[in-house]
Amino acid sequence: MKQVIQNFKTGELYVDEVPAPALTKGMVLIENKFSLISAGTERSTVKVAKANLLGKARQRPDLVAQVIQNVRKEGLKATLEKVRTKLDTLKALGYSTCGRVIASMDTNHFFKPGDRVACAGQDYASHAEVICVPQNLVVKIPDTVPYEEASFTTLGAIAMQGLRQADPKLGETVCVIGLGLLGQITCQLLKANGCKVLGIDISESLVQLARNLGADDAVQRSDANLMAMANQFTNGYGFDSVIITAATSSNDPIELSAEITRKKGKVVAVGAIKLDVPRDPHFYRKELDLRLSCSYGPGRYDTEYEEKGIDYPYAYVRWTEQRNMEAFLQLVAQGGINIKPLITHTFDITEAETAYDIVTGKRQEPHIGILLHYPDNDSKFIHTKIIQHNGAAQQQIEAGFIGAGSFAQSYLIPNVKNFGGGLKVVVTSKGITAQNVAQKFSFDSASSNSKDVIDNKEINTVFIATPHNSHAPYVIEALKAGKNVFVEKPLAMHEEELENVKACYMQQGGRLMVGFNRRFSPVASALKQNFKGINEPLVMNYRVNAGFIPKDHWTQDEQTGGGRIIGEVCHFIDLMQYFTEALPQTVFAQCIHSANSVNKNDDNIVINIQFTDGSVGSIVYVATGDKALPKERLEVYGGGKIGIINDFRGGEWYSNNKMVKLKMEGKGHTQEVHAFLNAIKEGHPSPISFESMYATTKATLKILDSLHTGLPQQI
């Protein structure tokens, strides 16, 4: 299918063929008819991508802070690789579209094939021939509303939420500062609400358009009579409310709004403006009420609502994102909003570059509402794209990837490639991501269908790097297909899943590896050699300053990520197994009990483990610590010797009353992948036994049982 793409590293914007997205639970698959280019928002997005590295840093200081923190934790080299991976990505543009439902897996069974729908959401309602959108960001279009006008629905919902924050009453005077697309819609909504409306903008053409579309009056910001007009418009009282829909780095809109608002009036910021709020003379002396409007309405940035489809109760949250979208379309259907005059350009999807030249000012042309049209095209539904490369020699190992997020792109795919493995097919749920990864690493093809990897006879090795809840099912499918399988941790999220994997492995055989990389790190390997020959139990103390992850992150979700014990603590249990060469036998865990709703109690836990050889280990896993302390420290005691790993950036060895510093960096990602691929090439078993990987996974599940029961658990 065709999609508008921007390379975030180079800033290049173009239309390309990418695989169609895959339909999953809670989503609606839609064939786009029209999409709206939101000039203000998308101009800013494109501008950031086109900036050089210094320009990007200036515009995103929050990301610069993350980079600096990562350098402290992982070192400069590892951080540079992460930054390069992040920058070298393809970005989807657009967030307001409409079209026809192809298929739906919404949990309410509300949407049917053929339904006319409008859609919202960055990275969902993209400028693409086919999109897959969460159910709560899709609404049906009334029969009398044409597709062209329905494509404005997301902008309409944003304007509507701004009004709800202003809460204007019948007959009140309201000023709208900024008469772009959002401002024009806002003026019309206010008129439909029975308000007296004045518009302000720097552009004379937009001022005139507002007058033509029903505003009581409009004026240029540079007009010397602006203050006198505002005074006369409100009979000297000032505006009951001012809604700012402008987008500017200037502080002028917030200062002007305070000056023209009546005492105890409201100022609502909808657009992206500078918010340097001057206390005197107006905000303080008038006791003004400053409100911010959050995009389309309640539900925005709430993963439970947007991604999982959990709606808010109608009686308690009357206006959600979806209900704002529905209300806007009803107003359009009733003639309360006139959209047609706002459409200045319509381009075919193949002409999108020209459309963006207008948006960015490269092509000087008056504009306000620019639409992209998607003509009928049967090839748009193809889920696989062949990537053209110069012919390369075939390798013995031919790999397919199911899932290719930042981790896979940083630590798995490059190491398969530098080993000499062939990269056949990469699969992700979003076609643009698969396309990006395929081009970046020279895969033969990109797809959004996992069957293109599982059923491909040329692929002998499958890498699985998807969300945790899909690991076990994909492992079973791949083993049954006779593939070598590398799966990122965890192996399974529930005991039933784990037993199903075990049954499949026992029946099918094959080579299976879980991504427990720390045992392959240079410092761990060196210490293991030093402990060789010590025939007595070890005492191990593992401190993990894990850092805070909010409860709404996907890894914390019980259904998708399983939480941090299943998703990360498995690493530390595996490394202890590596040193003891024994299996975990008993676990006992206790976590904090905090009334602070921000904290997740079992992210702060102490775990005691006894191993079959008599060794014992303690894991102190903390999410409430300070970031300045390095993340991991492992101390291993035994045979009169001590080995210490300091965050996998070095270590210490104590023996015969002497200490030796070990200067070795890396968490073993390269060595792990190469060990697995070497085992395949040389016909050896997996570098980690299935018994060990099974026991590690079982131990994490038993840790959860111990927390629930308050008792030690046998593995």
Side-chain angles (χ1 to χ4, degrees):
M1 68 171 189
K2 291 181 177 63
Q3 180 164 0
V4 179
I5 293 171
Q6 185 169 38
N7 186 305
F8 193 73
K9 182 179 181 180
T10 65
E12 181 187 6
L13 190 148
Y14 55 96
V15 178
D16 202 359
E17 291 282 346
V18 304
L23 178 62
T24 55
K25 183 181 177 182
M27 306 288 281
V28 185
L29 193 67
I30 296 149
E31 178 185 10
N32 265 341
K33 295 297 183 183
F34 287 90
S35 61
L36 172 68
I37 297 178
S38 177
T41 302
E42 296 194 49
R43 184 187 300 116
S44 175
T45 302
V46 171
K47 182 181 176 183
V48 172
K50 286 184 176 292
N52 58 26
L53 192 58
L54 181 59
K56 287 182 173 73
R58 284 173 175 164
Q59 294 178 66
R60 292 299 306 273
D62 56 322
L63 297 183
V64 175
Q66 289 182 27
V67 169
I68 293 171
Q69 187 64 45
N70 204 81
V71 169
R72 293 172 181 159
K73 288 176 63 177
E74 298 188 25
L76 181 61
K77 183 178 178 181
T79 301
L80 284 175
E81 287 301 316
K82 278 189 174 181
V83 170
R84 289 192 185 103
T85 297
K86 286 286 187 184
L87 286 176
D88 195 11
T89 57
L90 302 181
K91 184 172 180 59
L93 298 174
Y95 61 89
S96 186
T97 73
C98 64
R100 182 182 62 84
V101 173
I102 303 168
S104 179
M105 291 180 65
D106 66 289
T107 56
N108 300 321
H109 308 292
F110 183 67
F111 299 103
K112 308 297 180 187
D115 284 349
R116 300 168 71 248
V117 293
C119 314
Q122 179 67 46
D123 295 323
Y124 293 115
S126 306
H127 300 309
E129 289 185 301
V130 180
I131 57 176
C132 198
V133 184
Q135 63 188 55
N136 279 351
L137 297 179
V138 182
V139 295
K140 290 183 180 180
I141 303 171
D143 293 340
T144 57
V145 178
Y147 279 125
E148 292 92 333
E149 297 179 26
S151 65
F152 283 74
T153 299
T154 305
L155 270 292
I158 295 171
M160 203 156 250
Q161 180 61 17
L163 256 72
R164 300 203 190 287
Q165 289 295 84
D167 192 23
K169 302 297 189 295
L170 189 71
E172 286 189 344
T173 57
V174 184
C175 179
V176 178
I177 300 178
L179 297 175
L181 203 51
L182 196 54
Q184 298 289 343
I185 294 172
T186 300
C187 286
Q188 292 194 54
L189 288 172
L190 286 165
K191 289 303 297 178
N193 193 60
C195 297
K196 188 179 177 186
V197 182
L198 175 73
I200 299 176
D201 198 275
I202 60 174
S203 166
E204 172 58 32
S205 62
L206 294 178
V207 164
Q208 187 57 51
L209 179 60
R211 291 193 190 111
N212 295 342
L213 291 179
D216 294 280
D217 208 345
V219 60
Q220 279 188 271
R221 176 65 182 94
S222 59
D223 193 318
N225 296 318
L226 186 151
M227 296 308 298
M229 179 182 288
N231 193 48
Q232 183 179 2
F233 195 87
T234 63
N235 294 325
Y237 292 111
F239 289 95
D240 294 294
S241 58
V242 174
I243 301 176
I244 305 172
T245 54
T248 176
S249 57
S250 166
N251 206 48
D252 181 67
I254 199 73
E255 293 175 3
L256 174 61
S257 65
E259 191 171 358
I260 63 177
T261 305
R262 69 168 171 85
K263 190 172 184 179
K264 295 187 179 293
K266 291 186 284 289
V267 175
V268 179
V270 179
I273 59 167
K274 187 176 182 180
L275 280 172
D276 187 0
V277 181
R279 186 174 188 269
D280 279 322
H282 302 294
F283 273 97
Y284 167 65
R285 298 188 188 189
K286 293 181 181 179
E287 291 187 325
L288 297 181
D289 183 359
L290 175 60
R291 301 181 180 184
L292 271 66
S293 177
C294 184
S295 198
Y296 331 144
R300 190 72 180 105
Y301 308 113
D302 181 351
T303 55
E304 296 287 317
Y305 178 89
E306 289 194 330
E307 296 179 17
K308 298 180 185 177
I310 300 174
D311 201 358
Y312 299 136
Y314 189 92
Y316 296 96
V317 185
R318 176 63 183 90
W319 295 109
T320 61
E321 290 180 275
Q322 191 176 55
R323 290 166 200 153
N324 276 335
M325 293 167 69
E326 289 170 340
F328 176 76
L329 282 170
Q330 285 300 325
L331 272 173
V332 175
Q334 294 162 8
I337 305 291
N338 188 4
I339 294 297
K340 286 183 181 179
L342 300 178
I343 303 173
T344 56
H345 297 77
T346 301
F347 293 96
D348 189 274
I349 177 64
T350 57
E351 303 172 299
E353 292 174 56
T354 303
Y356 276 93
D357 284 345
I358 295 173
V359 169
T360 58
K362 184 177 180 181
R363 175 171 162 175
Q364 295 294 324
E365 201 168 310
H367 65 279
I368 182 163
I370 301 177
L371 301 185
L372 296 180
H373 173 243
Y374 302 86
D376 292 337
N377 171 21
D378 291 340
S379 65
K380 70 176 72 172
F381 304 109
I382 295 174
H383 290 273
T384 306
K385 180 185 175 182
I386 306 302
I387 309 297
Q388 299 298 326
H389 301 294
N390 294 328
Q394 290 294 305
Q395 305 296 324
Q396 181 179 342
I397 292 170
E398 299 294 353
F401 273 76
I402 303 175
S406 296
F407 181 85
Q409 292 182 52
S410 298
Y411 299 113
L412 300 182
I413 301 174
N415 287 321
V416 173
K417 190 170 184 177
N418 63 38
F419 181 84
L423 299 175
K424 301 297 290 183
V425 183
V426 59
V427 172
T428 67
S429 60
K430 293 180 180 177
I432 186 173
T433 306
Q435 168 96 344
N436 178 43
V437 176
Q439 291 180 339
K440 189 189 301 185
F441 296 101
S442 300
F443 278 83
D444 289 350
S445 62
S447 174
S448 58
N449 188 346
S450 62
K451 294 296 182 185
D452 287 339
V453 168
I454 300 295
D455 296 342
N456 190 320
K457 302 298 183 185
E458 295 182 3
I459 292 174
N460 55 33
T461 304
V462 175
F463 283 78
I464 300 165
T466 50
H468 299 167
N469 61 339
S470 61
H471 285 188
Y474 279 138
V475 165
I476 291 170
E477 280 191 63
L479 286 175
K480 286 182 177 178
K483 313 292 188 184
N484 301 298
V485 182
F486 182 108
V487 60
E488 257 312 309
K489 48 77 191 170
L491 176 58
M493 281 179 48
H494 308 288
E495 194 150 353
E496 183 181 358
E497 279 188 342
L498 181 60
E499 294 307 319
N500 288 340
V501 170
K502 179 181 178 181
C504 179
Y505 180 81
M506 299 301 289
Q507 182 178 2
Q508 300 289 142
R511 194 176 282 105
L512 173 63
M513 172 85 158
V514 179
F516 296 139
N517 54 280
R518 283 162 175 77
R519 64 162 63 202
F520 296 95
S521 64
V523 65
S525 297
L527 290 179
K528 176 71 180 291
Q529 281 297 115
N530 289 344
F531 275 110
K532 194 172 182 179
I534 297 176
N535 297 315
E536 64 176 67
L538 301 177
V539 175
M540 297 165 287
N541 182 49
Y542 208 139
R543 188 267 299 147
V544 186
N545 182 34
F548 177 76
I549 294 180
K551 289 181 178 179
D552 61 358
H553 191 271
W554 73 268
T555 57
Q556 300 280 37
D557 180 75
E558 288 188 10
Q559 301 302 316
T560 307
R564 301 177 80 176
I565 292 171
I566 288 175
E568 188 176 19
V569 170
C570 52
H571 271 309
F572 318 130
I573 297 172
D574 174 77
L575 187 55
M576 287 181 171
Q577 280 196 70
Y578 175 66
F579 278 105
T580 62
E581 296 184 2
L583 299 175
Q585 187 174 42
T586 308
V587 295
F588 176 61
Q590 290 180 303
C591 67
I592 65 170
H593 294 279
S594 171
N596 188 336
S597 63
V598 173
N599 293 330
K600 194 167 183 287
N601 287 341
D602 59 11
D603 282 0
N604 301 275
I605 188 172
V606 177
I607 304 164
N608 292 310
I609 308 172
Q610 185 167 35
F611 292 83
T612 52
D613 71 334
S615 296
V616 291
S618 174
I619 299 173
V620 178
Y621 186 90
V622 182
T624 55
D626 186 83
K627 292 180 180 179
L629 180 71
K631 181 181 177 182
E632 296 177 41
R633 178 182 172 91
L634 172 64
E635 300 171 351
V636 183
Y637 302 84
K641 305 177 188 300
I642 303 172
I644 297 175
I645 296 176
N646 289 315
D647 210 27
F648 299 92
R649 301 181 68 181
E652 299 160 21
W653 175 249
Y654 294 83
S655 180
N656 298 320
N657 296 318
K658 294 181 181 179
M659 187 269 280
V660 178
K661 285 275 189 182
L662 302 176
K663 296 182 179 180
M664 300 174 176
E665 287 198 12
K667 286 189 175 180
H669 294 105
T670 299
Q671 296 86 345
E672 166 196 47
V673 173
H674 286 189
F676 176 63
L677 299 181
N678 265 320
I680 296 171
K681 291 191 80 169
E682 297 172 10
H684 295 159
S686 176
I688 307 177
S689 71
F690 180 80
E691 184 182 31
S692 173
M693 295 183 294
Y694 172 87
T696 294
T697 309
K698 192 77 171 280
T700 60
L701 299 175
K702 292 299 183 181
I703 289 169
L704 295 177
D705 288 346
S706 180
L707 285 177
H708 294 152
T709 63
L711 299 171
Q713 298 291 311
Q714 295 291 320
I715 300 171

